[in-house]
Amino acid sequence: MPRHKGDHDARRRDVSGAVWRVLAAHGFGGLTLRAVATEMGATTGLLTHYFPNKKDLVAHALTLLDEHRAARPRRIAPEPEGLAALRAILMDILPLTPQAATDNRIWVSSWDAALADRDLAVGHAARYARSRERIRHHVETAQHLGELPPHDPDDIAAAVQSFALGLIVQALFGPEEFPPERQIRLLDGYLATLATTTPPAAR
Amino acid sequence: MPRHKGDHDARRRDVSGAVWRVLAAHGFGGLTLRAVATEMGATTGLLTHYFPNKKDLVAHALTLLDEHRAARPRRIAPEPEGLAALRAILMDILPLTPQAATDNRIWVSSWDAALADRDLAVGHAARYARSRERIRHHVETAQHLGELPPHDPDDIAAAVQSFALGLIVQALFGPEEFPPERQIRLLDGYLATLATTTPPAAR
DNA sequence: CCATTTACATAACGGGCGTTGTGTGAATGT
DNA sequence: ACATTCACACAACGCCCGTTATGTAAATGG
């Protein structure tokens, strides 16, 4: 009955691509079914054929964002460890290239919709928690290697992610004030402060 | 010809209050003229009487956000200096109270619209640059007091704002993972790392 | 006290939105 | 070869949006 086996998923991926391009061009607030349809030279009928309603399409778009980030070309071929791995992850996230900037713009633009919708907010919270966990893993490795002081790795991971997210936001709003080299300089400066901090004696 | 002198501005402020409440309830994406009108028990006719179009109203709302933040009750009555002042500023910004959380939610929700509209983006960039400048001032004072190492104060200010912004975003999405005491702990931890970093000898 | 102006309410407009139904050619299974 | 099912196109729906025109009571100024 189906044309070919697997065609359905392939077409869904085509739709996802169009969603992606619309998001990049007009942000989350400009994501409409008609915009996606014309972007891929089709009609809204096609969209509803693959996604029952807009919310499903939005949810799928967010999943796409995650996959897109995970599938991003790794900067360093041999997987580094500890602090170097942490740095590599953050370098992959920061808007150092136009493509990475586009990704982050889309991501930031999703926060409005996510904060207004409970389901989306839960999904986002889970995503950021997962990202923190990935960071924490490398923090712990770095601690074992003696590259980082033995603070609470959860707190360090949260702090690292805070720094990265905030830097992303500022870089998006002021690209000429935050060129790639400054972002990297700030990142390295931050990682250096992390490494040389005295244990929490005072307090 | 006017009813009373000054009534006009007072009514504009009433409208602004309604805009504020709608933003808090539905985010920037849910800001519509009709929602604002019903919020203040009026009609869209009133709104267009005080704001020619929606963009002016939105721009005014963003100005409001700024004023609202500036007018927030200061946490410490006698103005502190240096690192303490820096800490006080950040404590005022972080979503440590429901009111501050609401403010930040509105702020974050504005990023979508701002990234999609050049005029709004410019305004936001200027606002964040101004905030960074305020931070830098306290950084320099702290450096004179010997509380912070003599790094580039612009970079330190950008780093501090990065940390704060990112922490805000994470706290908004995971309030129970980032209760006030953890936010403060993370902030103090970050400020401590800033203070104890060795000068940029290695490099 | 009358003409004018302000401060709105009311209502309508065109347009874009998500959703839904109907139609149709092509591929499939038997 | 035929009935079925898929993969869309096409068109219409009701709704909500920002904007705009019209009406009108109240306040003002001369």
Side-chain angles (χ1 to χ4, degrees), chain A residues 6-7 14 25 30 44 85-86 88-90 121 143-144 147-148 158 173 175 194:
Chain A
D7 246 14
D14 290 349
T44 64
L86 196 58
I89 282 184
L90 298 176
Q143 287 176 328
H144 289 145
E147 296 174 332
L148 287 179
F173 278 113
L194 266 190

Side-chain angles (χ1 to χ4, degrees), chain B residues 97-117:
Chain B
T97 68
Q99 210 240 33
T102 296
D103 290 7
N104 279 303
R105 257 174 42 85
I106 295 173
W107 203 254
V108 170
S109 87
S110 78
W111 289 344
D112 182 15
L115 284 174
D117 183 290

